[in-house]
Amino acid sequence: MRHFLSLADHTGQELQALLSLAQQLKSEWRQGGNSPRLQAKVLAMVFQKPSLRTRVSFDMAMRHLGGDALYLSPAEIGLGKREAIKDVSRVLSGYVDCIMARVFEHRHILELAQHAKVPVINGLSDYSHPCQAMADGLTILEHFGRLEGLQLTFIGDGNNVAVSLLFLAARMGMNFTIASPEGFELPGEVVEIGRRLATESGGAVRLLRDPREAVAGAQVVYTDTWVSMGQEEDAGPREAAFRPYQVNSELVALADRAAIVLHCLPAHRGQEITDEVADGPQSLIFPQAENRLHAQKAILVSLLT
């Protein structure tokens, strides 16, 4: 059984094949529409956490490809509370062709996959966000024509998005740099995996404190919210710690002259990123958001055909 749970589970060749397929499907869609590759296929979308991009992009991906998507809200399932996760997985496996889940704890995704008889896609967990990273890779590839050798700098929390970006960069031969305040670094085991993968691909991994040093010469400057869903009680201390890490025009000016700015959204404008940068000429935030649709089409096609 093939699943899509973490980018570290896939080789660089496999990720490159997915990105190439995403480019093909995007081009096909813009030229008149995708062929119904997933006709009669149904995707169950299981949500513990609400989302704009994840829900709409997966739903529309299935529609574009001739299939259907079924939205299951937190109240309808109560994953791990109202009903055991292994039971949910077994029941859904008898109804649908694929399960996408957006959860709080990564172990819930792993348990779904362990008991499923159909492919399971990680739509987000506290550990990683692989679908987002594939959209990011597609956006970078479209702009620069390559991934290998580029410097990708992430400014902010060593969170699930940063984890998946590290794995993408490490698999694809990119140089990954992250600048985080003390206490908000990437987990040590993630860095160890990333460095091992980067050694294999010719990439590199740097962990820094100073955001100015981190963006110097970068082709891609990436940031994310300082306070993710479920962290609201820590908002005050987090905002204080991350204030020097704002991606503003002064910081972006230190990057490569041709650098692009990415953000996975939702953005808290005036906190981790300024309006001037988010809406500026170097921002690809909204093409990046659109690419969730096309990257996920490639994931779905690879799992279901």
Side-chain angles (χ1 to χ4, degrees):
M1 177 60 60
R2 294 181 300 159
H3 302 294
F4 193 77
L5 308 179
S6 169
L7 297 192
D9 299 337
H10 302 270
T11 67
Q13 291 81 3
E14 289 170 339
L15 297 180
Q16 181 58 59
L18 280 176
L19 291 172
S20 297
L21 178 57
Q23 288 181 300
Q24 175 191 338
L25 292 169
K26 183 174 181 178
S27 175
E28 182 181 283
W29 170 251
R30 290 190 165 180
Q31 292 174 20
N34 296 122
S35 62
R37 292 169 173 82
L38 301 185
Q39 188 170 7
K41 302 288 187 181
V42 177
L43 170 70
M45 303 188 298
V46 177
F47 284 81
Q48 284 184 330
K49 302 174 72 172
S51 171
L52 167 64
R53 279 153 294 279
T54 299
R55 178 178 177 179
V56 177
S57 59
F58 268 108
D59 192 325
M60 293 308 299
M62 290 300 292
R63 295 189 194 197
H64 287 185
L65 295 166
D68 203 356
L70 177 64
Y71 171 71
L72 298 167
S73 72
E76 289 173 297
I77 290 186
L79 196 65
K81 296 179 180 179
R82 177 174 173 270
E83 190 168 0
I85 293 172
K86 62 184 179 181
D87 293 349
V88 171
S89 182
R90 289 164 175 159
V91 168
L92 286 177
S93 293
Y95 296 152
V96 302
D97 302 285
C98 187
I99 301 168
M100 184 282 296
R102 180 178 170 90
V103 302
F104 284 99
E105 298 181 47
H106 189 65
R107 64 184 179 89
H108 291 171
I109 282 283
L110 297 180
E111 190 172 354
L112 277 171
Q114 179 184 352
H115 297 283
K117 295 181 180 179
V118 297
V120 172
I121 298 171
N122 179 3
L124 175 141
S125 71
D126 60 356
Y127 176 69
S128 65
H129 199 351
C131 294
Q132 178 64 56
M134 292 304 296
D136 303 335
L138 177 58
T139 307
I140 298 166
L141 181 61
E142 286 178 333
H143 187 79
F144 291 104
R146 63 187 174 93
L147 296 180
E148 187 176 5
L150 295 177
Q151 181 181 326
L152 166 59
T153 293
F154 186 91
I155 304 296
D157 194 6
N159 62 12
N160 49 4
V161 172
V163 168
S164 289
L165 282 171
L166 168 59
F167 291 160
L168 173 75
R171 279 297 194 196
M172 304 307 294
M174 303 176 74
N175 299 314
F176 179 85
T177 299
I178 183 169
S180 304
E182 186 175 358
F184 298 96
E185 302 90 347
L186 282 165
E189 63 273 17
V190 167
V191 176
E192 184 178 342
I193 294 170
R195 284 185 165 150
R196 174 173 54 81
L197 298 180
T199 299
E200 296 171 1
S201 70
V205 178
R206 292 192 305 162
L207 311 179
L208 301 174
R209 286 273 181 258
D210 184 0
R212 296 171 64 85
E213 180 184 357
V215 301
Q219 283 84 37
V220 183
V221 178
Y222 200 120
T223 191
D224 190 10
T225 179
W226 297 339
V227 183
S228 296
M229 197 178 303
Q231 299 173 335
E232 290 80 5
E233 290 184 2
D234 299 325
R238 280 181 162 270
E239 290 171 10
F242 285 106
R243 201 163 292 125
Y245 291 79
Q246 183 185 73
V247 174
N248 51 41
S249 57
E250 291 77 18
L251 189 68
V252 174
L254 301 175
D256 188 274
R257 290 181 62 185
I260 61 172
V261 176
L262 300 180
H263 191 308
C264 58
L265 298 177
H268 296 81
R269 290 166 175 259
Q271 292 188 7
E272 74 272 7
I273 193 167
T274 61
D275 282 339
E276 185 179 15
V277 172
D279 299 323
Q282 291 172 274
S283 172
L284 291 183
I285 289 173
F286 297 105
Q288 174 191 6
E290 180 191 338
N291 277 339
R292 285 287 300 274
L293 171 66
H294 305 294
Q296 289 162 190
K297 284 182 189 177
I299 295 165
L300 290 164
V301 168
S302 72
L303 292 175
L304 294 174
T305 60

